[in-house]
Amino acid sequence: RDFNERCAQCSEVNWGLTDGGRFYCRSCHNVTERTREVVNTDFITNSRVQTISKGLKKQEKIDGGCEWYICEGFQLVLKKQVEALEALGVCPQMKDEILCNFWRCYLQKSKQAYCKRPAGETVKTLSVCESSTDVDSDPERPSLLHLLSLSESEGDLQTDCSFASSVSKVSESTSVYSGSVDGSLYLMKNQKEKLRMTMPMTLSFCYLALLWVREPITLSELLRFVVEGHIPYMNVFQHFPEKMKLCGLDLKIFCVESWPVYEEVFNKMHELAAFLDLPRFPDITESCFLHPDMLCMKYLMEANLPDELHNWTCRVVKKIGIGEVDFLTLMPGNKSTRKVKYDVLAAAVIVVVLKLLFLLDDHYEWLLSEFAEERNKNNTEVCMFYSGGPYFEFKKWYEVVKHTLDVEQKKLDEQKAKYLWRCEKPLFYSVKNKSKVLKRRQMVVNLQNQFGKLSGSVQRAEKPNPSSFQLSWSEENRDGSCFHGHSLKGVLQEKCGLLTAMNPDYWLCTVKLCNEKLCGHLAHYREVEFPQSYHFVLGLFSFLLRIQPSYIHDEVCMIEHKLFNKKLCKKLKYNTVLRK
């Protein structure tokens, strides 16, 4: 009450006392150097001590850093990532209401915070974690992602009663050097049982929160934004505060030397949801962006395919039931439900529809293309007036899209080849090598600047704004490169009042599906065993989703078996009878 100075950071007058007797701001959790003055030193000689103070936390080390834990580092990474997502237009509630609760639940489940000391822990401390009666604490915990160790109030995460605190003394005596308190013990094998936090798991946390609020961002888009630098992931540790020294084993945890993999982030997301015991997620309905009908519309536009194909994708989705709410909604821990990859599923539906109409056997689609080309040449004006657009030519579409795809793929390969994996902030594995690393880094920067001036190289331009579409096609172009308004009448026929495909045949990618749990795939994909047209379509969506074609092939096989289930059962029974 007697300390009325304003906080240097937030200019508020709302002070509390730490266990060490120092003042901290309850608004921004800034700890000052000012300590509480003792007014009355009188005491009763035979009084019994009722509380034990935790003592002042060691803030300054020999190298000028402070004590920090690995979970605090990941907390800062999550903060940077969720702030980047908010800048992209994600709802602000995702940060404090969704991701914050997921993170706190993870810390509690993994026994790193918000819990009592784990039973059976090999390392135990002698200090008693009890709150002092003369300490004024804030009962409310802060909003998401304030530095834990830099704020000593009891309103912060209770790391003093966590596993991190129980290993702090042992970490100091270990021979392996690290900047964090628990860096060496964090990599021990026994920690894998607790779903140990990793850098790819930070993206799993983000996607889990995006899925809960049903934001229009798929996992493939999230990973693409990471690669393009819109979401911090590579070298994100350089944004750590100066007091959080990162060296030694900490680099093995936070330093990433490869791009995030779709399958790894996806599987970790489901493991995380089951580990946290999360309830059933909000329903994925037809009006939701993640519904196959909505995603098919998006990918048809991006693949430069006719708009009329959307009616066929909706028919396939409805017939095999992959648009049902129970099929699409995530239910953590339910092993009977299939893990849905929304973007891959939508792309596979489009591939199946193209096979239904054009067969994609390197023969039938070219015959249809020749027929459509002749009709467009002979009757262009009539075709444009009566059908609403020219007949769709598969050959012309293939040539236009392949040229654009090759150009964009070359740009992507060049960007990956030119990417500088080293961060701007120098890293060192020990204090002894710090001066050498700093000198070498400064020498490299000077040489780069000198060679840049001599060669006249232009500085890199600023990153373009992120977009959901990688390929854009405008109907205003007069060169005929946009196929959105083209007609499918050249491949359809009217039968019993319904439009059906002229093509009566269909070839299956595989007759029998593999066990996904044993071999990791529903079917094996080898390019030489399939037609080039089919491979090109898979390659197109593989580029758009930035995943391997084999994953799209798996979903295609799954959809085909749902679509032709009765015919497959009859064929299998017939083959069994012949064998007998």
Side-chain angles (χ1 to χ4, degrees):
R1 295 179 180 177
D2 299 332
F3 189 54
N4 297 325
E5 295 183 8
R6 293 186 177 275
C7 178
Q9 290 189 3
C10 65
S11 301
E12 294 288 336
V13 182
N14 188 14
W15 300 100
L17 282 176
T18 65
D19 293 342
R22 298 167 68 181
F23 289 99
Y24 75 95
C25 180
R26 294 179 179 177
S27 301
C28 65
H29 301 277
N30 175 37
V31 182
T32 65
E33 298 295 333
R34 184 76 175 269
T35 57
R36 183 183 181 183
E37 298 179 359
V38 180
V39 179
N40 190 1
T41 59
D42 295 338
F43 62 93
I44 304 175
T45 55
N46 293 328
S47 62
R48 182 181 178 182
V49 178
Q50 298 293 335
T51 60
I52 300 178
S53 177
K54 289 182 291 185
L56 179 61
K57 201 172 188 178
K58 295 180 181 179
Q59 286 288 330
E60 301 295 334
K61 289 184 178 181
I62 299 176
D63 57 352
C66 67
E67 289 185 353
W68 63 281
Y69 298 93
I70 296 298
C71 63
E72 296 178 273
F74 282 115
Q75 190 168 249
L76 279 173
V77 174
L78 284 173
K79 176 186 177 184
K80 295 295 181 181
Q81 291 176 348
V82 73
E83 287 176 351
L85 287 172
E86 285 184 347
L88 294 177
V90 174
C91 64
Q93 292 78 12
M94 194 191 84
K95 178 181 178 181
D96 291 328
E97 297 180 9
I98 308 300
L99 187 57
C100 178
N101 292 330
F102 287 170
W103 177 242
R104 287 175 174 173
C105 184
Y106 170 78
L107 292 176
Q108 186 178 27
K109 292 281 185 179
S110 58
K111 297 182 180 180
Q112 298 183 65
Y114 300 108
C115 65
K116 296 181 180 179
R117 189 181 309 280
E121 201 65 62
T122 56
V123 182
K124 295 184 179 180
T125 58
L126 299 177
S127 62
V128 181
C129 297
E130 297 181 3
S131 59
S132 176
T133 55
D134 60 344
V135 176
D136 187 10
S137 62
D138 189 356
E140 296 183 359
R141 293 189 175 98
S143 60
L144 180 63
L145 312 176
H146 284 288
L147 279 176
L148 305 186
S149 64
L150 298 184
S151 176
E152 297 179 341
S153 66
E154 292 185 3
D156 282 337
L157 301 186
Q158 302 170 1
T159 52
D160 54 306
C161 295
S162 65
F163 169 74
S165 177
S166 64
V167 301
S168 60
K169 290 189 176 182
V170 177
S171 179
E172 293 175 0
S173 61
T174 54
S175 58
V176 183
Y177 185 78
S178 64
S180 62
V181 174
D182 57 340
S184 57
L185 294 177
Y186 196 82
L187 296 176
M188 291 177 62
K189 294 182 179 180
N190 58 358
Q191 293 303 308
K192 293 183 179 180
E193 302 175 359
K194 300 178 181 180
L195 194 65
R196 187 178 62 191
M197 191 70 184
T198 59
M199 283 300 296
M201 269 188 64
T202 59
L203 300 178
S204 300
F205 264 101
C206 292
Y207 182 60
L208 200 65
L210 290 170
L211 194 58
W212 184 274
V213 295
R214 296 179 293 182
E215 283 288 337
I217 298 179
T218 60
L219 179 56
S220 60
E221 286 180 328
L222 178 67
L223 300 185
R224 179 166 60 86
F225 291 154
V226 170
V227 174
E228 293 176 354
H230 301 295
I231 297 177
Y233 182 77
M234 308 298 297
N235 302 326
V236 68
F237 52 82
Q238 64 185 353
H239 301 293
F240 284 8
E242 194 64 29
K243 289 186 177 182
M244 291 179 63
K245 299 299 180 180
L246 194 79
C247 51
L249 291 178
D250 303 329
L251 301 178
K252 187 176 181 180
I253 299 173
F254 293 101
C255 187
V256 181
E257 297 181 351
S258 61
W259 301 110
V261 181
Y262 184 102
E263 199 70 14
E264 180 183 3
V265 177
F266 180 80
N267 291 333
K268 283 294 182 182
M269 184 271 293
H270 282 274
E271 291 181 20
L272 183 62
F275 178 75
L276 300 180
D277 293 329
L278 296 179
R280 177 187 169 107
F281 274 51
D283 293 342
I284 305 295
T285 59
E286 294 183 357
S287 60
C288 182
F289 177 81
L290 298 176
H291 194 275
D293 292 344
M294 300 288 286
L295 286 176
C296 282
M297 186 185 302
K298 175 184 182 299
Y299 294 138
L300 285 173
M301 295 176 61
E302 196 163 9
N304 198 15
L305 288 167
D307 299 332
E308 294 181 11
L309 284 174
H310 187 248
N311 296 328
W312 286 83
T313 58
C314 293
R315 289 171 64 178
V316 172
V317 168
K318 185 176 180 180
K319 184 173 180 61
I320 63 179
I322 59 175
E324 301 295 330
V325 174
D326 292 337
F327 178 83
L328 296 173
T329 304
L330 176 61
M331 290 181 285
N334 191 347
K335 297 181 180 180
S336 60
T337 57
R338 192 171 186 272
K339 301 175 182 177
V340 182
K341 303 171 183 175
Y342 303 99
D343 40 10
V344 182
L345 181 66
V349 170
I350 297 176
V351 176
V352 171
V353 169
L354 291 177
K355 287 182 65 179
L356 286 170
L357 299 181
F358 299 95
L359 198 58
L360 300 184
D361 64 344
D362 289 344
H363 178 70
Y364 184 74
E365 64 269 21
W366 305 120
L367 292 178
L368 292 176
S369 182
E370 292 176 0
F371 169 73
E373 185 179 1
E374 291 179 0
R375 292 294 300 269
N376 290 337
K377 285 182 179 179
N378 297 334
N379 217 356
T380 303
E381 295 182 359
V382 176
C383 178
M384 291 291 291
F385 182 80
Y386 289 103
S387 65
Y391 282 20
F392 176 71
E393 299 179 31
F394 187 88
K395 180 180 179 181
K396 187 176 180 181
W397 171 82
Y398 171 83
E399 293 173 351
V400 171
V401 174
K402 188 178 188 306
H403 173 72
T404 304
L405 188 61
D406 291 342
V407 173
E408 294 298 326
Q409 185 66 54
K410 185 178 179 180
K411 290 181 181 179
L412 180 62
D413 295 339
E414 290 179 353
Q415 290 176 0
K416 288 185 177 181
K418 295 179 180 179
Y419 184 80
L420 298 177
W421 293 94
R422 290 188 177 183
C423 64
E424 298 177 358
K425 185 178 181 180
L427 302 175
F428 52 93
Y429 288 86
S430 65
V431 180
K432 297 179 181 179
N433 299 331
K434 181 178 180 180
S435 58
K436 295 181 180 179
V437 172
L438 293 176
K439 289 180 180 179
R440 289 177 181 176
R441 182 60 181 171
Q442 187 63 37
M443 186 183 300
V444 170
V445 172
N446 293 336
L447 289 175
Q448 287 178 346
N449 294 335
Q450 292 175 8
F451 281 111
K453 293 178 180 179
L454 292 174
S455 61
S457 59
V458 182
Q459 295 183 353
R460 290 180 296 176
E462 296 182 358
K463 293 181 295 185
N465 294 328
S467 174
S468 296
F469 292 89
Q470 302 177 67
L471 306 177
S472 58
W473 314 91
S474 176
E475 297 182 7
E476 298 178 356
N477 294 343
R478 298 181 179 180
D479 56 358
S481 60
C482 182
F483 296 87
H484 291 160
H486 286 215
S487 174
L488 295 176
K489 287 189 176 181
V491 297
L492 301 178
Q493 62 181 357
E494 190 172 351
K495 188 176 181 180
C496 299
L498 295 176
L499 289 176
T500 60
M502 295 175 59
N503 168 37
D505 301 324
Y506 190 91
W507 59 273
L508 292 172
C509 294
T510 181
V511 178
K512 188 177 181 180
L513 297 176
C514 299
N515 190 338
E516 191 174 10
K517 294 182 179 179
L518 295 179
C519 61
H521 291 277
L522 291 173
H524 295 282
Y525 176 73
R526 299 179 182 88
E527 181 181 350
V528 295
E529 297 178 356
F530 294 92
Q532 287 300 313
S533 298
Y534 176 73
H535 175 69
F536 172 76
V537 174
L538 286 188
L540 171 61
F541 289 105
S542 172
F543 172 80
L544 296 177
L545 303 182
R546 306 289 177 89
I547 60 174
Q548 295 295 327
S550 57
Y551 294 120
I552 305 177
H553 179 72
D554 286 351
E555 295 295 325
V556 170
C557 295
M558 184 272 296
I559 294 173
E560 289 178 345
H561 277 253
K562 285 180 175 290
L563 195 60
F564 303 103
N565 185 33
K566 294 182 179 179
K567 294 182 179 181
L568 284 172
C569 291
K570 290 181 180 179
K571 186 175 182 179
L572 291 174
K573 289 180 180 179
Y574 178 73
N575 292 336
T576 305
V577 172
L578 289 179
R579 290 176 183 175
K580 291 181 178 179

